[in-house]
């Protein structure tokens, strides 16, 4: 039997690394697209780098995408690459639009030109719901994005739907709620907290500066969510799905649990800092993933407490190794 071949854009990111591991376990040949950088940033993929093929390309350059598809002929493309940090999208709105919005069109168009039979996954986001118009949010909830990133993701979502309807392509949009892990970038709030807690516990820091503690998110584990991406591309028909836990917690609760896990009280260490407040905030996200549960047979395996503990444990171990 021929091995199935998948292309992942954004393989060096949190989700790309978990998805690659998952696809390798399913017996896929994995092609990972990476950007040319002056120093390598393969931290998240170095432990399985010998099992995948890395190719150079950029979502800003459609020719590079066409060349990669022509050369490697994948049957599935997972478009995970993006400028994914919401706060940065106010400082770099045009760049965010180029990558996170127009980059999706470039990838879809490359698929259409090279082989429209390729199955396509777009990494859409709960950030599209923004100032939510209903609770919980489903596939039918109208979008009201609150950041240049959210606006760019709305474009990426609709262009995916449009290529499906215009060219009959197997293009799916996964509307994923926040998902975290020990591989999360240090600038995102969950990892900033777990890393901060570990530094304080080990005597490396005395405080943790955060922004809005009242924001509420539906946080799941990234390792669970990549399976939903794959399941979407294994169905008979392309469609869009919300992927979420159905539970919401505040940043404050995350702090309480993370500090409490190492016998500390977050109120003694967390300092609110204006620099981390956003010009427009997404106050509350909570997803209803009934469709994914019923159609894909997907459900999250890791609960909130397990996620927080996993992240704090991993950062304690990491810092102990770094400071040995
Ligand atoms: P991440 O850790 O920030 O990874 C982003 C990846 O995109 C990195 O590999 C990055 O490469 C790559 N990239 C950025 N710009 C690129 C460009 N112009 N061309 C090629 N590659 C580029 O993000 P993540 O958390 O894994 O998220 C994966 C995707 O899901 C993103 O599209 C994100 O917006 C979306 N999403 C994430 C969540 C979540 O909670 N994690 C929820 C909903 C949707 P470098 O390593 O070179 O920077
Ligand atoms: N990053 C950060 N840093 N966020 C903070 C801080 C801080 O110091 N203090 C409070 N927050 C609040 C933010 O204001 C926001 O309400 C919440 O914590 C979560 O922020 P992030 O962890 O940066 O994630 P996000 O929800 O903005 O975006 C993530 O999830 C989206 C899905 O809803 C990213 O992964 C996006 O790429 C993804 O689409």
């Amino acid at each position: 039997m021929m091995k199935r071949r998948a292309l992942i854009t954004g393989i060096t990111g949190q989700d790309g690394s978990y998805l690659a591991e998952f696809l390798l376990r399913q017996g896929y040949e994995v092609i990972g697209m990476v950007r040319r950088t002056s120093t390598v940033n393969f931290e998240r993929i170095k432990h399985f780098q010998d099992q995948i093929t890395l190719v150079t390309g950029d979502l800003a350059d459609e020719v590079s995408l066409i060349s990669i598809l022509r050369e490697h002929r994948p049957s599935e493309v997972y478009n995970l690459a993006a400028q994914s940090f919401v706060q940065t999208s106010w400082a770099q709105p045009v760049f965010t639009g180029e990558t996170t919005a127009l980059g999706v069109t470039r990838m879809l168009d490359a698929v259409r030109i090279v082989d429209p039979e390729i199955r396509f996954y777009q990494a859409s986001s709960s950030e599209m719901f923004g100032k939510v118009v209903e609770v919980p949010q489903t596939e039918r909830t109208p979008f009201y994005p609150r950041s240049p990133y959210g606006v760019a993701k709305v474009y990426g979502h609709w262009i995916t739907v449009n290529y499906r309807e215009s060219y009959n392509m197997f293009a799916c949009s996964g509307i994923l709620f926040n998902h975290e892990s020990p591989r999360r970038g240090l600038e995102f709030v969950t990892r900033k907290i777990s890393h901060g807690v570990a530094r304080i516990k080990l005597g490396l820091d005395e405080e943790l500066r955060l922004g809005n503690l009242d924001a509420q998110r539906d946080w799941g584990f990234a390792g669970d969510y990549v399976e939903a991406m794959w399941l979407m591309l294994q169905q008979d028909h392309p469609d869009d799905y919300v992927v979420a836990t159905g539970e919401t917690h505040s940043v404050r609760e995350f702090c309480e649990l993370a500090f409490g896990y190492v016998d500390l009280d977050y109120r003694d260490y967390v300092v609110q800092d204006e620099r981390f407040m956003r010009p427009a905030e997404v106050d509350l996200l909570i997803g209803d993933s009934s469709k994914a549960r019923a159609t894909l047979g997907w459900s999250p395996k890791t609960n909130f407490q397990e996620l927080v503990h996993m992240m704090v444990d991993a950062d304690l171990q990491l810092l102990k190794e770094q400071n040995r």
Side-chain angles (χ1 to χ4, degrees):
M1 262 244 303
M2 284 266 287
K3 260 192 164 189
R4 284 188 288 176
R5 192 176 302 134
L7 171 70
I8 302 175
T9 71
I11 194 164
T12 53
Q14 171 189 258
D15 291 8
S17 66
Y18 282 108
L19 178 64
E21 284 174 328
F22 176 82
L23 294 177
L24 286 172
R25 286 198 298 275
Q26 303 299 314
Y28 277 73
E29 183 183 338
V30 174
I31 315 294
M33 190 179 91
V34 296
R35 296 192 276 186
R36 189 267 158 187
T37 47
S38 64
T39 50
V40 289
N41 61 343
F42 296 167
E43 200 53 40
R44 297 182 176 106
I45 58 172
K46 64 174 190 279
H47 57 288
F48 58 81
Q49 208 182 316
D50 56 341
Q51 299 171 59
I52 59 177
T53 303
L54 293 179
V55 293
T56 307
D58 198 300
L59 283 192
D61 188 327
E62 190 168 340
V63 170
S64 69
L65 308 177
I66 292 171
S67 302
I68 290 169
L69 293 179
R70 282 205 175 127
E71 186 174 346
H72 295 279
R73 291 283 172 174
S75 54
E76 296 172 12
V77 169
Y78 296 86
N79 187 39
L80 309 187
Q83 190 302 94
S84 75
F85 188 42
V86 172
Q87 186 104 39
T88 292
S89 74
W90 278 283
Q92 301 179 12
V94 176
F95 172 74
T96 301
E98 274 295 340
T99 307
T100 306
L102 282 177
V104 187
T105 309
R106 293 192 192 96
M107 193 72 242
L108 278 163
D109 220 38
V111 168
R112 181 185 66 80
I113 290 166
V114 176
D115 178 5
E117 294 300 310
I118 293 172
R119 295 187 170 205
F120 179 86
Y121 172 85
Q122 167 57 18
S124 292
S125 165
S126 51
E127 185 72 13
M128 301 190 299
F129 297 121
K131 190 172 173 150
V132 298
V133 302
E134 70 176 352
V135 178
Q137 296 84 52
T138 73
E139 294 79 7
R140 292 173 307 286
T141 303
F143 301 136
Y144 189 153
R146 294 272 280 172
S147 61
Y149 168 84
V151 173
K153 280 289 179 187
V154 171
Y155 175 93
H157 170 81
W158 282 118
I159 199 71
T160 301
V161 173
N162 181 261
Y163 268 56
R164 181 167 76 218
E165 294 176 355
S166 304
Y167 303 112
N168 202 23
M169 281 167 52
F170 197 109
C172 300
S173 168
I175 306 173
L176 271 53
F177 282 61
N178 298 51
H179 43 278
E180 319 294 316
S181 75
R183 297 185 200 167
R184 188 59 142 149
L186 281 167
E187 68 274 40
F188 297 91
V189 78
T190 56
R191 183 76 198 288
K192 188 171 168 184
I193 296 169
S194 65
H195 197 252
V197 164
R199 286 186 64 82
I200 291 169
K201 185 67 184 174
L202 297 175
L204 300 167
D205 259 335
E206 289 174 351
E207 63 175 28
L208 175 62
R209 303 187 85 83
L210 295 174
N212 177 14
L213 300 184
D214 297 316
Q216 290 172 271
R217 290 290 182 277
D218 180 331
W219 278 300
F221 171 50
D224 293 343
Y225 283 37
V226 296
E227 186 172 357
M229 300 175 185
W230 174 74
L231 284 167
M232 286 178 214
L233 298 199
Q234 311 315 308
Q235 305 304 304
D236 291 337
H237 304 286
D239 208 342
D240 309 321
Y241 298 88
V242 159
V243 176
T245 69
E247 254 186 54
T248 193
H249 297 276
S250 64
V251 173
R252 190 185 306 281
E253 280 175 81
F254 198 107
C255 289
E256 211 169 349
L257 200 55
F259 278 90
Y261 184 49
V262 295
D263 302 318
L264 298 175
D265 186 333
Y266 81 95
R267 289 170 297 189
D268 297 333
Y269 302 96
V270 171
V271 178
Q272 272 199 292
D273 188 329
E274 279 296 320
R275 284 181 303 150
F276 301 110
M277 299 291 192
R278 296 179 178 182
E281 180 61 289
V282 172
D283 296 315
L284 164 73
L285 290 176
I286 177 163
D288 175 353
S289 57
S290 305
K291 181 174 167 185
R293 288 171 196 250
T295 311
L296 306 178
W298 177 88
S299 60
K301 299 184 181 79
T302 313
N303 69 32
F304 182 62
Q305 181 172 304
E306 288 165 345
L307 174 68
V308 175
H309 291 181
M310 177 204 305
M311 292 180 70
V312 174
D313 280 336
D315 275 322
L316 280 169
Q317 195 186 333
L318 180 75
L319 288 169
K320 280 179 193 160
E321 280 164 17
Q322 285 174 351
N323 290 283
R324 204 178 276 149

